[in-house]
């Protein structure tokens, strides 16, 4: 029997789709604003397209068209009488500066991952995936700019305090490792804050390790080092007192082995601090979470595919609390305390044996 079609709902859904495409297009415009310095230029005060273009040292015609998108997209205001565009102060907080509120860098992930959409479509048909190597070196840069302001704001004051007594241990002096360290910014922040402790950052990517080393040198740190290492092979001796993983387990090819090696490499009273995406492992429990579609999308476009590319577990970004807890228990962690991170996207797992 043919299903009755509700014309009104068709219209509404078509509108919803067009809204999605408009939002996606505006995300590219935000990316352009971030890359060209237009938000910083506009935050200096209202100006015509000519004035804003001059402040940013850019081509006026491009800037005017971009301002058209910004204005009709409710990001800027426009005063037709004076021809002045203005970025409201509240919007400027979310689009400029060095605080964790600056979300402009996050827009970059769309263009970056979007480059691989054809290959990912192919993987839907033929299996496999797009390996990490195809995302590099840009991936390291994008992750760094997406995360560094948040880590500057929250790592020491918000993430580490979740583990009782850890900060005191770090102050006294312990051995710590960060696995899947990416650009190494977390290692360098901790090394600067806790000069009595020593830190090593492990990543499989040479470009990431080079970045970590360069920043450590720039910061004059003698207690931070970086090493190219597949973390399925974390050395089990000498033991670490602390191992951290920031957003670095769910995209592993072999996460079960990584977690087991972490547990084996820890001293008996050591801590594994895992910061990972806040979600349920059950899709029905993620309905209504406004960022869930973004997270599942990132998973398809990156976190799951990089694992499946090597015939891996393909946990994906939204592996969720239930799967995480099961895998941590299987790896030997008998005490796992989970709490909400001080940012809206993550959970903190404090794991001890
Ligand atoms: C999503 S990024 C997170 C980077 C960083 N922790 C951050 O928060 O910005 C995951 C990182 O894990 C690294 N990685 C993935 N699999 C790895 C493995 N088996 N061994 C070492 N590093 C790995 C990747 O190269 C990448 O830099």
């Amino acid at each position: 029997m043919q299903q009755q079609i509700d014309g009104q709902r068709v219209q509404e859904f078509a509108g919803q789709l067009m809204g999605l495409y408009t939002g996606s297009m505006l995300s590219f415009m935000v990316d352009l604003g971030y890359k060209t310095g237009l938000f910083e230029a506009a935050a200096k005060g209202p100006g015509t397209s000519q004035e804003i273009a001059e402040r940013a040292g850019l081509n006026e015609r491009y800037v005017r068209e971009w301002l058209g998108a910004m204005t009709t997209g409710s990001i800027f205001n426009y005063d037709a009488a004076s021809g002045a565009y203005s970025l409201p102060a509240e919007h400027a907080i979310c689009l400029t500066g060095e605080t964790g509120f600056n979300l402009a860098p996050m827009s970059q992930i769309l263009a970056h991952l979007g480059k691989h959409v054809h290959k990912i479509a192919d993987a839907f048909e033929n299996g496999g995936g797009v390996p990490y190597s195809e995302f590099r070196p840009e991936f390291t840069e994008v992750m760094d700019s997406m995360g560094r302001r948040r880590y500057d704001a929250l790592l020491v004051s918000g993430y580490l305090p979740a583990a009782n007594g850890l900060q005191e241990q770090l102050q006294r002096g312990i051995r710590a490792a960060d696995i899947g360290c990416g650009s190494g910014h977390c290692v360098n922040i901790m090394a600067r804050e806790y000069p009595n402790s020593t830190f090593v950052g492990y990543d499989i990517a040479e470009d990431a390790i080079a970045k970590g080393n360069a920043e450590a040198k720039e910061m004059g740190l003698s207690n931070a080092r970086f090493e190219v290492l597949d973390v399925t092979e974390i050395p089990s001796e000498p033991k670490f007192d602390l191992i951290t993983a920031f957003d670095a387990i769910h995209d592993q090819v072999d996460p079960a082995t990584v977690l087991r090696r972490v547990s084996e490499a820890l001293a008996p009273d050591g801590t594994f601090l895992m910061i990972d995406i806040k979600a349920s492992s059950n899709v029905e429990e993620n309905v209504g979470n406004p960022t869930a579609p973004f997270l599942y999308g990132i998973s398809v476009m990156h976190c799951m595919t990089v694992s499946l590319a090597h015939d891996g577990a393909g946990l994906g970004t939204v592996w969720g609390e239930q799967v995480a807890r099961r895998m941590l228990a299987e790896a030997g962690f008998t005490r796992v305390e989970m709490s909400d991170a001080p940012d809206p996207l993550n959970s903190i797992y404090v794991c001890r044996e």
Side-chain angles (χ1 to χ4, degrees):
M1 203 177 75
Q2 212 176 357
Q3 208 190 335
Q4 280 288 332
I5 296 292
D6 180 336
Q8 175 71 22
R9 288 180 64 188
V10 171
Q11 290 285 343
E12 282 167 10
F13 182 64
Q16 182 186 335
L17 278 180
M18 280 312 295
L20 290 180
Y21 302 154
T22 301
S24 308
M25 192 54 81
L26 276 174
S27 304
F28 290 118
M29 297 298 111
V30 172
D31 187 354
L32 280 168
Y34 173 70
K35 285 192 168 69
T36 57
L38 270 165
F39 290 126
E40 307 286 343
K44 292 192 172 117
T48 62
S49 57
Q50 186 64 43
E51 286 162 347
I52 292 174
E54 275 169 20
R55 275 183 220 158
L58 298 170
N59 178 298
E60 188 276 338
R61 181 66 194 98
Y62 275 98
V63 170
R64 187 165 17 114
E65 208 69 356
W66 179 83
L67 284 165
M70 287 291 113
T71 302
T72 55
S74 305
I75 296 175
F76 277 55
N77 294 326
Y78 179 59
D79 176 34
S82 63
Y85 297 86
S86 57
L87 179 62
E90 296 79 9
H91 295 193
I93 287 172
C94 301
L95 291 167
T96 62
E98 295 307 315
T99 76
F101 285 105
N102 184 356
L103 298 180
M106 196 179 264
S107 62
Q108 300 175 97
I109 198 77
L110 298 171
H112 174 56
L113 302 184
K115 285 180 194 160
H116 302 283
V117 76
H118 292 291
K119 284 178 251 166
I120 289 165
D122 183 68
F124 272 73
E125 274 188 55
N126 301 313
V130 182
Y132 243 116
S133 54
E134 296 205 25
F135 291 91
R136 292 192 181 110
E138 197 185 343
F139 179 79
T140 307
E141 203 60 52
V142 171
M143 277 306 293
D144 179 78
S145 63
M146 279 174 52
R148 70 167 37 236
R149 292 169 180 81
R150 177 169 49 88
Y151 292 133
D152 283 337
L154 300 177
L155 175 49
V156 172
S157 67
Y159 295 158
L160 298 179
N164 245 341
L166 179 60
Q167 285 179 300
E168 291 75 12
Q169 283 181 293
L170 282 161
Q171 265 146 13
R172 281 197 298 274
I174 57 173
R175 285 190 83 235
D178 182 36
I179 61 170
C181 66
S183 70
H185 192 52
C186 290
V187 169
N188 290 330
I189 293 174
M190 291 189 285
R192 180 180 58 197
E193 185 72 20
Y194 303 107
N196 296 331
S197 290
T198 57
F199 298 85
V200 57
Y202 294 127
D203 202 285
I204 205 164
E206 280 180 23
D207 67 286
I209 292 306
K211 229 174 138 48
N213 274 320
E215 190 185 57
K217 196 170 166 202
E218 208 176 289
M219 290 167 69
L221 299 169
S222 56
N223 59 336
R225 67 180 187 87
F226 295 89
E227 199 178 313
V228 175
L229 181 85
D230 182 333
V231 294
T232 55
E233 291 168 16
I234 306 168
S236 53
E237 292 294 338
K239 300 288 184 205
F240 290 105
D241 306 293
L242 168 68
I243 298 181
T244 52
F246 299 94
D247 196 20
I249 300 298
H250 62 249
D251 60 358
Q252 290 292 324
V253 172
D254 185 357
T257 298
V258 172
L259 292 175
R260 189 167 43 77
R261 291 299 286 245
V262 167
S263 140
E264 287 165 3
L266 277 174
D269 57 349
T271 303
F272 175 44
L273 187 71
M274 182 175 87
I275 312 298
D276 215 294
I277 295 297
K278 178 161 70 185
S280 167
S281 309
N282 305 315
V283 68
E284 65 276 17
E285 289 168 2
N286 293 323
V287 174
N289 171 353
T291 51
F294 182 79
L295 298 172
Y296 281 108
I298 296 277
S299 189
V300 171
M301 300 292 289
H302 179 80
C303 301
M304 184 182 73
T305 197
V306 295
S307 178
L308 294 181
H310 296 284
D311 219 6
L315 287 178
T317 319
V318 199
W319 62 321
E321 179 184 346
Q322 296 87 339
V323 171
R325 281 186 181 278
R326 173 176 54 73
M327 292 186 71
L328 288 164
E330 286 166 3
F333 293 102
T334 53
R335 289 177 292 152
V336 175
E337 284 165 30
M338 200 202 85
S339 55
D340 285 349
D343 69 273
L345 282 185
N346 289 293
S347 294
I348 305 179
Y349 296 81
V350 180
C351 316
R352 292 175 170 133
E353 282 164 0

